[in-house]
Amino acid sequence: DTGVSQDPRHKITKRGQNVTFRCDPISEHNRLYWYRQTLGQGPEFLTYFQNEAQLEKSRLLSDRFSAERPKGSFSTLEIQRTEQGDSAMYLCASSRWNTEAFFGQGTRLTVV
Amino acid sequence: SQQGEEDPQALSIQEGENATMNCSYKTSINNLQWYRQNSGRGLVHLILIRSNEREKHSGRLRVTLDTSKKSSSLLITASRAADTASYFCATDTSADGLTFGKGTHLIIQP
């Protein structure tokens, strides 16, 4: 399968724990995006990379969120000291410049 | 940051009718994209229109782009029950990447 893959698909964690999600983009895509989506809302932009450079990070995000894309390939999104308000679907997408973005199936995070 | 804003927020029409959704945005774009999302499912790309294009067609979909008004419209002709979904516009800018609006929830009544 050559689509965008995300791991894990589901994550349940206790409040205060750290979690890390992984995204493997389509191999020839140099752009990679992270979004958060809650029920009934549109995807909320978190951050994006062009190759390994992180070009933009939402001003809405707290310092508890961090993302990396070593060597411009896969990416990880870490949330430290999780809160119940972090419960959401976390989406990853990839694209080439000025072309359509392809989305993964997402990681559903539940903080209890 | 979210740049695009869809209008209306919700739309209910009879099967067979046409559905029109609009998107307004704030800054210059590389392209504008429309996506569909069925309840509880992933985002599916529908169509992309670049900043130097004015209109594109794909099957029953027609998208227009007016860069002077910073707006786009998505027309779905001869709607079907299976078109019931949320529709999002997303703007691609060099500064902010790809950002989405809050969506239009479309219901097709049989």
Side-chain angles (χ1 to χ4, degrees):
Chain A
D1 182 56
T2 58
V4 177
S5 63
Q6 293 187 243
D7 183 69
R9 294 290 305 277
H10 302 274
K11 178 71 176 180
I12 300 173
T13 191
K14 291 183 178 179
R15 192 173 49 188
Q17 297 293 305
N18 299 345
V19 293
T20 300
F21 308 142
R22 177 179 171 124
C23 172
D24 286 273
I26 294 172
S27 59
E28 63 266 27
H29 287 181
N30 59 350
R31 279 189 166 190
L32 186 148
Y33 308 88
W34 284 100
Y35 300 89
R36 177 172 66 186
Q37 189 176 28
T38 54
L39 194 63
Q41 301 295 313
E44 176 190 6
F45 175 83
L46 297 180
T47 190
Y48 97 101
F49 294 85
Q50 184 148 305
N51 300 312
E52 65 272 19
Q54 188 173 14
L55 298 188
E56 180 67 22
K57 182 178 178 182
S58 171
R59 297 181 189 88
L60 299 174
L61 277 190
S62 74
D63 291 341
R64 297 185 298 104
F65 288 73
S66 63
E68 293 183 343
R69 192 184 182 195
K71 303 178 183 178
S73 57
F74 71 93
S75 177
T76 57
L77 176 70
E78 181 182 20
I79 309 173
Q80 296 182 326
R81 304 181 303 281
T82 53
E83 302 171 355
Q84 285 190 319
D86 296 332
S87 294
M89 179 72 84
Y90 289 82
L91 300 168
C92 176
S94 71
S95 74
R96 289 190 294 260
W97 183 79
N98 209 13
T99 63
E100 67 191 276
F102 292 84
F103 279 79
Q105 290 300 303
T107 294
R108 182 170 296 284
L109 173 66
T110 302
V111 182
V112 297
Chain B
S1 59
Q2 295 194 257
Q3 182 180 202
E5 189 169 320
E6 294 90 344
D7 174 64
Q9 291 186 343
L11 179 62
S12 180
I13 61 173
Q14 295 294 122
E15 194 168 17
E17 294 180 338
N18 296 342
T20 299
M21 289 159 266
N22 301 296
C23 173
S24 58
Y25 59 93
K26 298 173 185 172
T27 65
S28 296
I29 60 173
N30 298 319
N31 65 69
L32 186 145
Q33 304 178 35
W34 286 91
Y35 288 80
R36 183 186 72 223
Q37 188 174 39
N38 292 88
S39 181
R41 306 295 295 273
L43 284 150
V44 174
H45 184 267
L46 295 176
I47 197 164
L48 177 153
I49 186 165
R50 294 191 170 84
S51 59
N52 61 350
E53 297 174 315
R54 292 297 167 258
E55 187 171 314
K56 284 189 84 169
H57 296 256
S58 176
R60 293 184 296 113
L61 306 180
R62 173 179 170 256
V63 168
T64 62
L65 179 65
D66 186 335
T67 52
S68 67
K69 295 181 178 178
K70 291 186 171 59
S71 68
S72 173
S73 68
L74 171 67
L75 169 68
I76 304 174
T77 60
S79 62
R80 305 167 181 170
D83 295 328
T84 294
S86 292
Y87 291 80
F88 298 96
C89 74
T91 52
D92 183 332
T93 67
S94 298
D96 298 328
L98 188 67
T99 57
F100 285 75
K102 295 182 178 180
T104 292
H105 184 49
L106 175 65
I107 297 174
I108 308 298
Q109 307 276 8

